């Protein structure tokens, strides 16, 4: 008998039919002799609808009340899933975040889980019941209802799996797993059988969003191995786990793309200590989300900084830079470029293989695709290209690393 924690996202419980489908799947696991805890999101669209209503009533809804409001979405779905199970003759009990013993801390609507007391869930499991646990919610250390940030049901599932020492944790969603690239863009993209936490995090931060990043970090911290798979079929998914030696034989695990990026370059910056800090802290205060940062010294001895960001943030970045520019003086100028996109190659194999960047740039060059900015981390190489070229670029790079064939081996060339 195994203890299995599953998480069903909003799409998977998006209608009563889908809820019946979820109940069938849970029943099957139970009939096979397993103990099952299912963590459930609000029905698809419900959380957004609640936020819309709050914003219609108030220009600045109190976050305490938002938490009370948003947590109701999951409370609906856990009760409905339990009822669907009862209809199938399966004993099931729903639990809210409080009843699941999830303690959180932090600001309203952005809770972090600090402790788990799963006694009630354990009792229900011992009584032979299936437990249906509300995702995305907990009780703050001061006793108030708390939500965990958008997509937070993933985090609940990982935390519940850790607390119950589950044998298996499955994140069931509307895709079959994590792919080598976006299958809508790269026709040859394949499902990745196994990926390390770090690769999953890099892919998520570079545009391949399958799960909430914080929950992947949490899983890494507590060593929770989990599988991302579809709630609509029985295909095996992608296992997300600690890295091991064999993983490094694959150079590139995946190619992610992120569209709608923009670049801002500030030129004519005096090459003196503290200037970068001054510029970046202005951007941080304006709560703009900067992605790539590149700085260098031009031939005139003055520094230039380039940043990329989502194009929605471009206006805010420009506004935030105004006061700094005034300080820097007349030599400084700002250039902007919208309509760019980011292409990232991710793989822990990069640590032990050389020539990865060269191969990526050669492939782009041979296809006549111009590279804008370049940044790297230990396991990622990212470049910007014209947005109109991003789909071709993704295909060219995906091909160059043979990702459609033997997973990620460097082509013999
Ligand atoms: N219902 C919440 C949201 O839509 C949490 C979740 O679905 O994971 O963000
Ligand atoms: Mg959701």
């Amino acid at each position: 008998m195994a203890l299995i924690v599953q998480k069903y996202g909003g799409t998977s419980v998006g209608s009563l039919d889908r809820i019946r489908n979820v109940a069938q799947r849970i029943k099957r696991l139970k009939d096979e002799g397993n103990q099952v805890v299912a963590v459930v999101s609000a029905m698809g669209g419900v959380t957004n609808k609640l936020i819309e209503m709050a914003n219609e009533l108030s220009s600045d809804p109190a976050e305490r009340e938002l938490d009370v409001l948003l947590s109701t979405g999951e409370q609906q779905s856990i009760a409905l899933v339990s009822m669907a199970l009862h209809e199938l003759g399966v004993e099931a009990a729903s639990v809210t975040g409080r009843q699941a013993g999830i303690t959180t801390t932090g600001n309203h609507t952005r809770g972090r889980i600090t402790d788990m007391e799963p006694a009630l869930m354990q009792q229900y499991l011992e009584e032979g019941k299936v437990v249906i646990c509300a995702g995305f919610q907990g009780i703050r250390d001061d006793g108030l209802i708390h939500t965990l940030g958008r997509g937070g049901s993933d985090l609940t599932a990982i935390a519940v799996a850790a607390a119950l020492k589950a044998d298996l944790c499955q994140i069931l969603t509307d895709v079959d797993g994590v792919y080598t690239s976006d299958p809508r863009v790269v026709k040859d993209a394949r499902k990745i059988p196994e990926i390390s936490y770090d690769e999953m995090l890099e892919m998520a931060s570079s545009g391949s969003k399958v799960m909430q990043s914080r929950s992947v970090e949490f899983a890494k911290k507590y060593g929770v191995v989990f599988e991302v798979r579809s709630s609509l079929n029985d295909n095996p998914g992608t296992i997300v786990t600690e890295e091991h030696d064999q993983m490094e034989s694959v150079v590139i695990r995946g190619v992610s793309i992120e569209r709608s990026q923009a670049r801002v370059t500030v030129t004519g910056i005096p090459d003196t200590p503290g200037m970068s800090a001054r510029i970046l802290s202005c951007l941080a205060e304006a709560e703009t989300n900067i992605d790539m940062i590149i700085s260098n010294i031009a031939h005139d001895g003055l520094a230039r900084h380039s940043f990329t960001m989502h194009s929605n943030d471009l206006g805010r970045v420009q506004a935030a830079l105004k006061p700094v520019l005034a300080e820097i003086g007349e030599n400084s100028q700002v250039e902007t470029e919208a309509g760019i996109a980011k292409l990232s190659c991710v793989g822990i194999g990069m640590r032990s293989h050389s020539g990865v960047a060269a191969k990526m740039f050669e492939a782009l060059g041979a296809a006549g695709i111009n590279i804008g900015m370049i940044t790297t981390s230990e396991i990622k190489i990212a470049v910007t290209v014209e947005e109109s070229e991003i789909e071709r670029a993704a295909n060219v790079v995906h091909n160059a690393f043979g990702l459609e064939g033997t997973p990620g081996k460097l082509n013999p060339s």
Side-chain angles (χ1 to χ4, degrees), residues 17 93 124 130 144 172 261 263 362 372:
D17 273 340
Y124 287 152
V130 165
L144 298 180
L172 291 127
Q261 302 293 295
R263 175 183 61 88
E362 264 164 33

Side-chain angles (χ1 to χ4, degrees), residues 133-199:
C133 173
F136 179 56
Q137 55 174 265
I139 295 297
R140 210 161 71 156
D141 27 30
D142 58 5
L144 298 180
I145 294 181
H146 209 177
T147 60
L148 307 178
R150 295 308 305 270
S153 299
D154 289 337
L155 183 60
T156 307
I158 302 288
V160 167
L164 294 174
K165 302 194 173 52
D167 300 296
L168 189 63
C169 177
Q170 296 180 320
I171 307 293
L172 291 127
T173 173
D174 50 357
V175 292
D176 258 8
V178 183
Y179 276 72
T180 51
S181 197
D182 184 343
R184 286 164 302 187
V185 172
V186 179
K187 292 276 169 304
D188 299 330
R190 283 178 312 105
K191 189 167 31 182
I192 303 172
E194 194 183 42
I195 188 170
S196 72
Y197 296 121
D198 288 340
E199 289 169 328

Side-chain angles (χ1 to χ4, degrees), residues 186-404:
V186 179
K187 292 276 169 304
D188 299 330
R190 283 178 312 105
K191 189 167 31 182
I192 303 172
E194 194 183 42
I195 188 170
S196 72
Y197 296 121
D198 288 340
E199 289 169 328
M200 181 84 173
L201 285 167
E202 283 282 20
M203 290 197 42
S205 73
S206 56
S208 305
K209 200 138 199 79
V210 179
M211 265 179 83
Q212 192 207 36
S213 296
R214 277 172 54 215
S215 55
V216 181
E217 277 161 21
F218 195 94
K220 181 183 176 190
K221 188 164 164 198
Y222 292 95
V224 178
V225 176
F226 60 93
E227 182 187 17
V228 180
R229 59 147 75 200
S230 169
S231 65
L232 303 171
N233 60 46
D234 288 321
N235 301 337
T238 300
I239 306 280
V240 187
T241 183
E242 251 158 67
E243 62 181 79
H244 52 75
D245 290 350
Q246 269 158 326
M247 279 184 173
E248 289 208 5
S249 65
V250 175
V251 181
I252 297 299
R253 191 80 54 203
V255 176
S256 320
I257 63 180
E258 210 168 357
R259 300 173 202 257
S260 306
Q261 302 293 295
R263 175 183 61 88
V264 170
T265 301
V266 185
T267 61
I269 307 167
D271 184 19
T272 51
M275 279 318 300
S276 306
R278 179 79 191 90
I279 294 171
L280 263 302
S281 53
C282 256
L283 297 178
E285 270 160 39
E287 295 199 12
T288 54
N289 224 333
I290 299 299
D291 181 15
M292 298 167 132
I293 303 176
I294 290 182
S295 109
N296 50 33
I297 308 290
H299 50 79
D300 54 8
L302 295 171
R304 47 190 295 145
H305 284 343
S306 299
F307 317 102
T308 64
M309 67 225 71
H310 193 276
S311 46
N312 289 346
D313 274 354
L314 182 57
R316 269 197 300 156
V317 167
Q318 283 173 295
L321 284 171
K322 278 234 171 76
V324 209
L325 289 176
E327 261 173 54
I328 299 174
E330 70 230 29
N331 284 329
S332 71
Q333 271 184 342
V334 174
E335 292 162 17
T336 59
E337 181 189 10
I340 61 176
K342 189 172 76 163
L343 180 76
S344 311
C345 282
V346 174
I348 55 171
M350 269 182 219
R351 294 194 199 120
S352 49
H353 292 80
S354 53
V356 179
K359 186 162 194 95
M360 177 179 179
F361 302 161
E362 264 164 33
L364 291 169
I369 297 170
N370 199 34
I371 298 174
M373 295 166 74
I374 302 172
T375 57
T376 62
S377 81
E378 203 190 9
I379 64 165
K380 177 171 80 176
I381 302 168
V383 300
T384 61
V385 300
E386 292 279 327
E387 184 150 21
S388 57
E389 296 277 38
I390 188 66
E391 301 207 351
R392 212 156 62 81
N395 276 283
V396 159
V397 171
H398 194 266
N399 248 326
F401 286 103
L403 284 175
E404 79 290 0

Side-chain angles (χ1 to χ4, degrees), residues 7 9-10 41-43 47-48 70 74 135-136 149-154:
K7 180 254 171 176
S41 289
M43 293 173 77
T47 309
N48 285 342
L70 298 191
E74 271 68 14
F136 179 56
R150 295 308 305 270
S153 299
D154 289 337

Side-chain angles (χ1 to χ4, degrees), residues 2-17:
L3 170 51
I4 302 176
V5 172
Q6 294 193 311
K7 180 254 171 176
Y8 290 96
T11 327
S12 303
V13 293
S15 65
L16 293 184
D17 273 340

